[in-house]
Amino acid sequence: MASNCNKSFANSYLLLMPEEASLLDLVRILFSKNIGHRKCLESHSGEKTVERSFKRRFLIVASILLQKLLMAVSKPLAFLGSFIEMFINTLNLNGGLFSTLLHLLTGKLVVPDRKSSKFLSFIGNLDYRMRLGTMKREDCRYYVYLAMMASKASYENEAFLEDIVTNKWEMEYVGFYNCWNDYQGKSTTQVLIFLEKHEDGDTYVVSFRGTEPFDADAWSTDVDLSWYGIPGVGKMHAGFMKALGLQKNVGWPKEIGDEEESVDDHPPFAYYLIRDILRKVLSENEKTKYIVTGHSLGGALAILFPTILFMHDEKLLIERLEGIYTFGQPRVGDEAYANYMKAKFKENSIRYCRFVYCNDIVPRLPWDDNNLMFFKHFGVCLYFNRAYELQIVEEEPNKNYFSPWYIIPMIFNAILEIIRSFTIAYKHGPRYREGWLCFFFRLIGILIPGVPAHCPQDYINSTLLGSIEKHFKAD
C-alpha cells in the first residue's frame, strides 16, 4: 500500500489505490469537494485535499473504477490471452486448421513450447514481419525502423529474441531482462538490449516492452492518474515510475546500495540494470552510442529513462544518447516536466521523436486539459493518418480521444482500415499483406476505434511508407 511508504523523495503526490476503494468512497469523492481522508486516495495535502472541479473528481473516480475492473478480470483475461496464443501457435506449427485436426485425430499433434524460438506472442502473430530488409545505416530512416522493429520484437520470448537478433538481424544479442516493480512486488517490466556493430561506431539498442493486449496490470498502469512531483523536475506518472524502478521509501537513489532499504533479494530494477550495463560498455569504447525505444507503455519508460539520467547527472550516458524513438506513447508528466525535458534535450543535442498513428487511443492517455488533468506531451510528434501520410504537429488531433465530435469519423475510419486490409498488399506489395488475425482484430475498431490502431503493424507501415526521410533530412 502507498500509505505504508515514505514519500519524502517527492514534494507532492496524488496516489489512487483502487484495491482499497468501496462504493461509498467513490460516491463521496464524486459528490464531496473534500476528497481527502479516503482509503483509496492519498495526497500530500492529507485531509485538507479539496477538489472543486466535478469533472476532475469524475475522472479520478473513472480511473479507480477502470483499475478495479481490470483487477477483477486480470486472471480470466490472462487465461484468454494464453489460450489464444496457444491456439494460434498450434495452428501455425501443424500447418493450419484442417491439418491440426488431422494431427489431433492421428496422435501426431505438435504442441507449442512457450519458451521456444518458434513461439510467437499475440502481437507477433498480428504481424509476422521481423526481418530488417535491405535498409542500410546510410538511410536516414534506418534507426527509426530499427527502433520500431526492436519495439515490436520485445513482446516475444527470450529464445525467439536471441534467434532473431543473432541470426536474422546479424547483430550481437546482449540480453532480455525481467525487472522488478517494488510496488507490485513482482517483475512487470521487460527490456531487450542488443548491439549493432559498424565500422563508424557501434550502437546499442535499448527497447522496453509495451502494454500486452491481455495484461490487465499494464492496462491499469496506463489508465492510472496517480503522480509524484519531483523537486526541480515536475510531476510524473507514478505507475510508469514504479515500472522503471522507483523504490519504496527511497525513491531514486543514485546508487542502488546507498540506502539499506533498497537492498533486497529480487530481480533488478530496470533503470539501474540498464544504466550499469551502459556505463560499462560505453566506457570501453569512446565511439559507442545508444538509442532508447519502446511501443505503448514501453515508450513511456523510454522517455522516463533519460529523465532519471538527468536527475543523476550521468554525464557519460547523457553524452552518448543518440536518440529516443517512441511509438504510441502515453503522456508521462506535467508542463513543468515537459519544459524540463525540452531544455535538457536541447542542451545535450538529443533527438526525441514521438510517433503517433491515426486514432491510436494510448497517446491520448492520460487526459490533458488545463482545467481537468495536467498530463502533457512534448517534443516532435510525427503523426500519420490512415494513408500513412506524415504530418509534423505539436499534438495529435482529438488529443483526449473521448470527444463526441470524433465518434462517427473514427468509426468510419476503422471501417476503411478493415477494407485496407484487403487492398494494401496489392498497392504496396506482399510485404504489407495482413493475415486473418489482424483482420479480425481490426473489427474491434468498429466498437472501440483506436484499439487496433495501437498495434505495431501500423507503426511499421508508417516508418516505411510515411516519407519520414523529409523530416530527418531537414534535421
Side-chain angles (χ1 to χ4, degrees):
M1 291 174 55
S3 58
N4 295 332
C5 302
N6 180 353
K7 292 170 281 294
S8 60
F9 60 86
N11 60 6
S12 59
Y13 54 87
L14 176 68
L15 306 175
L16 307 185
M17 294 167 280
E19 67 277 3
E20 301 292 331
S22 67
L23 180 60
L24 184 59
D25 286 325
L26 298 180
V27 171
R28 285 174 174 170
I29 290 174
L30 195 59
F31 295 105
S32 172
K33 293 180 181 179
N34 181 9
I35 62 174
H37 198 56
R38 307 291 178 212
K39 290 188 299 182
C40 61
L41 185 150
E42 187 175 354
S43 166
H44 60 285
S45 302
E47 295 184 19
K48 298 180 180 179
T49 304
V50 176
E51 182 50 69
R52 293 183 174 85
S53 169
F54 176 81
K55 288 184 177 180
R56 194 190 293 255
R57 297 198 305 272
F58 174 80
L59 286 175
I60 290 172
V61 170
S63 175
I64 292 173
L65 283 174
L66 279 171
Q67 290 180 74
K68 286 186 75 68
L69 175 63
L70 288 164
M71 289 167 59
V73 302
S74 176
K75 290 184 178 179
L77 190 63
F79 177 81
L80 175 63
S82 178
F83 173 81
I84 291 174
E85 286 184 345
M86 286 296 291
F87 177 73
I88 297 170
N89 278 275
T90 299
L91 294 183
N92 291 342
L93 284 176
N94 289 276
L97 179 60
F98 294 110
S99 182
T100 299
L101 292 173
L102 180 61
H103 288 178
L104 180 64
L105 293 172
T106 58
K108 297 179 181 180
L109 185 70
V110 181
V111 180
D113 177 3
R114 287 191 170 274
K115 296 182 179 181
S116 164
S117 62
K118 304 294 183 183
F119 192 93
L120 276 175
S121 69
F122 181 84
I123 293 291
N125 278 294
L126 280 176
D127 185 344
Y128 293 114
R129 289 175 293 183
M130 277 295 176
R131 295 185 181 273
L132 294 178
T134 58
M135 195 178 296
K136 302 296 182 183
R137 186 187 260 203
E138 294 72 26
D139 191 319
C140 60
R141 300 172 299 166
Y142 176 76
Y143 279 116
V144 175
Y145 183 57
L146 179 61
M148 183 58 240
M149 293 302 288
S151 297
K152 177 177 179 290
S154 64
Y155 286 97
E156 306 305 326
N157 66 51
E158 185 172 3
F160 181 95
L161 290 171
E162 186 169 4
D163 177 64
I164 201 78
V165 170
T166 305
N167 299 320
K168 303 296 190 302
W169 297 354
E170 297 181 343
M171 298 182 187
E172 185 176 309
Y173 176 78
V174 176
F176 180 69
Y177 307 94
N178 284 292
C179 299
W180 188 252
N181 186 319
D182 213 19
Y183 290 78
Q184 293 190 19
K186 58 183 177 181
S187 296
T188 64
T189 304
Q190 291 75 35
V191 61
L192 164 68
I193 304 177
F194 61 91
L195 171 64
E196 182 233 21
K197 291 187 174 182
H198 196 276
E199 59 185 11
D200 294 333
D202 298 343
T203 301
Y204 281 88
V205 179
V206 177
S207 178
F208 290 94
R209 177 182 288 182
T211 306
E212 297 177 87
F214 301 96
D215 186 346
D217 289 337
W219 283 108
S220 293
T221 298
D222 286 339
V223 302
D224 191 2
L225 297 180
S226 301
W227 53 265
Y228 289 104
I230 304 299
V233 179
K235 297 174 181 176
M236 292 183 280
H237 192 287
F240 300 151
M241 293 176 71
K242 293 170 184 177
L244 186 62
L246 182 74
Q247 296 167 66
K248 289 182 179 180
N249 304 321
V250 296
W252 294 106
K254 183 163 184 177
E255 300 301 334
I256 200 70
D258 282 357
E259 302 284 347
E260 82 177 51
E261 293 97 331
S262 67
V263 180
D264 206 350
D265 183 22
H266 55 64
F269 297 103
Y271 166 76
Y272 296 96
L273 169 76
I274 300 164
R275 184 201 63 180
D276 290 348
I277 290 173
L278 292 175
R279 271 181 178 175
K280 181 178 184 298
V281 297
L282 296 179
S283 64
E284 293 172 349
N285 189 331
E286 62 181 18
K287 289 186 177 182
T288 301
K289 296 185 178 182
Y290 70 102
I291 62 173
V292 185
T293 188
H295 168 259
S296 190
L297 168 62
L301 301 182
I303 195 62
L304 272 178
F305 178 75
T307 305
I308 313 305
L309 293 181
F310 293 138
M311 287 169 54
H312 290 165
D313 195 25
E314 292 282 348
K315 289 184 171 59
L316 175 64
L317 274 68
I318 294 169
E319 187 180 288
R320 304 286 188 87
L321 178 51
E322 183 76 6
I324 303 157
Y325 305 96
T326 70
F327 305 88
Q329 171 210 316
R331 297 183 179 100
V332 172
D334 68 351
E335 190 168 1
Y337 170 73
N339 291 334
Y340 173 86
M341 292 300 288
K342 285 190 287 187
K344 288 294 184 181
F345 285 158
K346 184 177 181 180
E347 177 187 337
N348 295 281
S349 301
I350 297 171
R351 169 181 280 166
Y352 165 46
C353 294
R354 182 173 65 85
F355 289 75
V356 177
Y357 168 72
C358 203
N359 292 321
D360 184 351
I361 186 174
V362 174
R364 276 91 175 176
L365 299 173
W367 196 281
D368 169 14
D369 189 307
N370 290 332
N371 298 317
L372 298 176
M373 290 294 166
F374 56 76
F375 291 97
K376 303 288 182 185
H377 276 309
F378 63 93
V380 175
C381 175
L382 286 81
Y383 173 79
F384 301 85
N385 62 18
R386 188 187 68 255
Y388 304 117
E389 295 169 335
L390 170 65
Q391 300 174 46
I392 307 298
V393 296
E394 290 186 8
E395 188 73 67
E396 55 272 16
N398 187 22
K399 69 176 183 177
N400 285 321
Y401 183 79
F402 300 99
S403 169
W405 303 107
Y406 280 88
I407 291 176
I408 293 176
M410 286 196 297
I411 293 174
F412 181 67
N413 187 83
I415 293 171
L416 293 179
E417 286 177 332
I418 293 169
I419 296 172
R420 189 188 62 196
S421 288
F422 296 99
T423 62
I424 190 169
Y426 294 100
K427 184 175 181 179
H428 297 292
R431 185 180 188 184
Y432 298 90
R433 190 179 307 280
E434 296 185 358
W436 62 268
L437 181 64
C438 184
F439 167 75
F440 282 113
F441 193 67
R442 287 200 185 276
L443 293 176
I444 297 174
I446 298 176
L447 298 175
I448 315 176
V451 170
H454 182 57
C455 289
Q457 68 267 20
D458 283 317
Y459 282 98
I460 293 176
N461 292 347
S462 296
T463 62
L464 292 172
L465 301 174
S467 299
I468 61 174
E469 66 273 6
K470 294 179 182 177
H471 167 69
F472 289 97
K473 284 181 179 177
D475 288 354

